Amino acid sequence: MVKLGVREWLAVGRLFLNGHLLRTDDGLRLCRRFEAELAKFTGAEHALAVSSGTAGLICALQACGIGPGDEVLVPAYTWMATAGAVLLVGAVPVLVEIDETLTMDVADLRAKLTQRSRAVIPVHMINRPCDMDAILALARDHGLRVIEDASQAVGVRYKGRMCGTMGDAGVYSFNQHKNMTCGEGGAILTNDSQIHARALNAHDMGLAYRSDGPGSNTPIFVGNNYRISEIQGAILRVQLSKLRRRIDGMKRRVGAFDRALRAAGLPIAPHHDRDDACGIALTFATEDAAIAFGRQRGVRRLFDNSKHIFTEWHPILDRRMSHPDQNPWAWANVAPDRDINHCPRTLDLLRRSCAVNLMIERPLFVAQILARRLAA
Ligand SMILES: *Cc1c(COP(=O)(O)O)cnc(C)c1O
């Protein structure tokens, strides 16, 4: 988990003296400043801070005009919110297998397209980017919106570009398990000013009364309240200033593990941009080998972190929403014989795969010692 330090404490203390906690122009405008800094850091045209990654996904889908009758392709290995957000805007998630890189399998993505496919949500799991070149090309050919779920890859690069900035919109999460945190929070990145304006609207019902509205010609629709407060803004600004160092530290540790484990002949999972890799995983020939390796300190078998596997998403598999008349499956027109949750390869890969804990909060030598021990 990401730690907070004295600088975050001082930033919040200063805010307390000011006393203005809502993100309006009367205060210190910390959220505004954070958004400008995040846009600069990532290279995105626009950044909008929201109350969580889940809220970010919902707003991004609404901003892209996704809704009832639409199918959205999501990987079978992700946090449930990726698929849940799709349902909350009235569309249905169609699950896509992962491949040996442990990210979305582009061949299966292509195979699962239908007339109703409107968007794809590639998820950069455990800091490992998807095959974005292929996904973007496929999306272009089929007129799909691309919303990157970069909740687990905040600040990670793919071929020189930042995860979350390559599609129509990208989403970050700042909950405490992610690369930077303010407890709970998220952001939407986009290069499209119309999507930014609609996301701004989606995240704030009160926008209709504010002078800092989207400034677009489209009339304001009913939004939600997914705003963050200046408390989160204060913390996020400090956290962002530390992110580059943290990412560099992750890369160095991946390098140490990669060298040691490769030299020992261990089966390292392929990665879509090894030069900038911030995560390392192994996929063994058998489940037993993965179980044995996963028992060691500093590694975990991915199958054992089961809540990220589609078979554990019970409300989704059972098709249960808060009200039966608001159940997207009722109007989805999914043929009864079409199994949109069939992903046996994903289960097989996760059973045989382990991820390495980079020990990012510890000095580099601790990671180096662990790498040597795992290679022995
Ligand atoms: C954490 C996470 C989310 C949701 O983030 P919250 O901020 O917890 O709502 C979405 N997708 C993935 C892949 C995540 O890991």
Side-chain angles (χ1 to χ4, degrees):
M1 271 194 330
V2 181
K3 287 184 185 147
L4 302 178
V6 172
R7 286 178 57 208
E8 286 86 345
W9 185 72
L10 287 172
V12 174
R14 184 166 157 253
L15 174 65
F16 270 46
L17 295 177
N18 172 271
H20 203 102
L21 303 186
L22 277 174
R23 58 164 307 171
T24 58
D25 291 343
D26 312 325
L28 297 174
R29 299 163 61 101
L30 302 176
C31 296
R32 286 277 195 103
R33 289 197 222 171
F34 168 69
E35 287 165 349
E37 288 155 2
L38 183 64
K40 183 154 182 269
F41 181 86
T42 57
E45 288 286 326
H46 307 277
L48 172 68
V50 290
S51 54
S52 69
T54 306
L57 288 166
I58 292 169
C59 293
L61 286 159
Q62 290 177 332
C64 288
I66 307 302
D70 297 340
E71 290 177 5
V72 179
L73 296 120
V74 304
Y77 172 50
T78 177
W79 167 230
M80 185 162 68
T82 316
V86 171
L87 287 157
L88 288 168
V89 303
V92 290
V94 173
L95 301 189
V96 177
E97 297 266 27
I98 58 169
D99 63 18
E100 318 70 56
T101 65
L102 307 173
T103 62
M104 189 175 259
D105 178 358
V106 183
D108 196 51
L109 169 62
R110 187 181 291 111
K112 287 185 171 155
L113 294 177
T114 71
Q115 289 298 323
R116 293 169 170 265
S117 307
R118 283 284 312 282
V120 53
I121 310 184
V123 184
H124 311 298
M125 281 298 275
I126 49 174
N127 285 309
R128 297 162 58 81
C130 298
D131 186 359
M132 286 308 291
D133 284 342
I135 291 171
L136 290 168
L138 186 78
R140 211 176 307 121
D141 290 349
H142 291 86
L144 301 176
R145 292 289 204 177
V146 178
I147 298 169
E148 295 174 74
D149 182 344
S151 296
Q152 296 198 11
V154 174
V156 174
R157 281 176 188 281
Y158 164 84
K159 299 186 182 174
R161 285 168 293 170
M162 197 71 82
C163 287
T165 66
M166 296 174 272
D168 295 283
V171 172
Y172 278 0
S173 165
F174 305 130
N175 88 27
Q176 203 162 4
H177 297 295
K178 309 300 159 81
N179 290 345
M180 56 180 269
T181 191
C182 59
E184 297 276 13
I188 303 162
L189 305 172
T190 183
N191 298 318
D192 181 324
S193 52
Q194 189 65 21
I195 289 176
H196 177 246
R198 283 180 59 90
L200 200 62
N201 185 164
H203 109 292
D204 183 5
M205 177 139 25
L207 196 73
Y209 304 101
R210 261 186 269 291
S211 57
D212 59 347
S216 73
N217 302 322
T218 46
I220 288 181
F221 56 86
V222 179
N224 215 304
N225 179 1
Y226 297 134
R227 294 190 304 267
I228 64 163
S229 78
E230 292 280 277
I231 303 175
Q232 288 148 300
I235 298 171
L236 287 171
R237 290 188 70 210
V238 181
Q239 286 274 301
L240 181 61
S241 74
K242 298 175 175 176
L243 184 59
R244 196 178 305 265
R245 268 196 72 186
R246 187 182 173 89
I247 295 287
D248 287 345
M250 289 162 75
K251 283 197 232 172
R252 267 198 293 278
R253 284 162 178 74
V254 166
F257 281 108
D258 193 87
R259 278 188 296 279
L261 301 181
R262 238 173 248 285
L266 285 162
I268 295 179
H271 187 288
H272 286 299
D273 183 1
R274 263 183 74 192
D275 293 341
D276 262 331
C278 290
I280 186 159
L282 300 98
T283 302
F284 294 87
T286 66
E287 183 173 357
D288 286 344
I291 291 172
F293 191 81
R295 278 204 198 99
Q296 301 174 88
R297 184 166 165 264
V299 278
R300 68 194 154 84
R301 189 169 70 116
L302 294 177
F303 195 74
D304 299 330
N305 191 3
S306 59
K307 57 183 186 298
H308 292 90
I309 307 174
F310 70 101
T311 45
E312 298 298 317
W313 306 342
H314 299 295
I316 292 179
L317 297 181
D318 297 345
R319 304 190 173 187
R320 219 167 23 246
M321 301 298 289
S322 63
H323 192 288
D325 288 349
Q326 282 183 335
N327 192 325
W329 280 289
W331 55 73
N333 267 336
V334 174
D337 59 345
R338 183 168 154 231
D339 187 354
I340 57 177
N341 301 324
H342 184 65
C343 293
R345 267 191 69 207
T346 297
L347 295 176
D348 173 53
L349 279 161
L350 295 176
R351 282 196 179 99
R352 294 187 286 112
S353 298
C354 295
V356 176
N357 180 347
L358 299 180
M359 308 262 157
I360 188 67
E361 307 290 355
R362 313 285 298 278
L364 180 61
F365 76 86
V366 176
Q368 288 164 336
I369 291 169
L370 178 65
R372 248 174 278 143
R373 197 176 296 156
L374 291 177

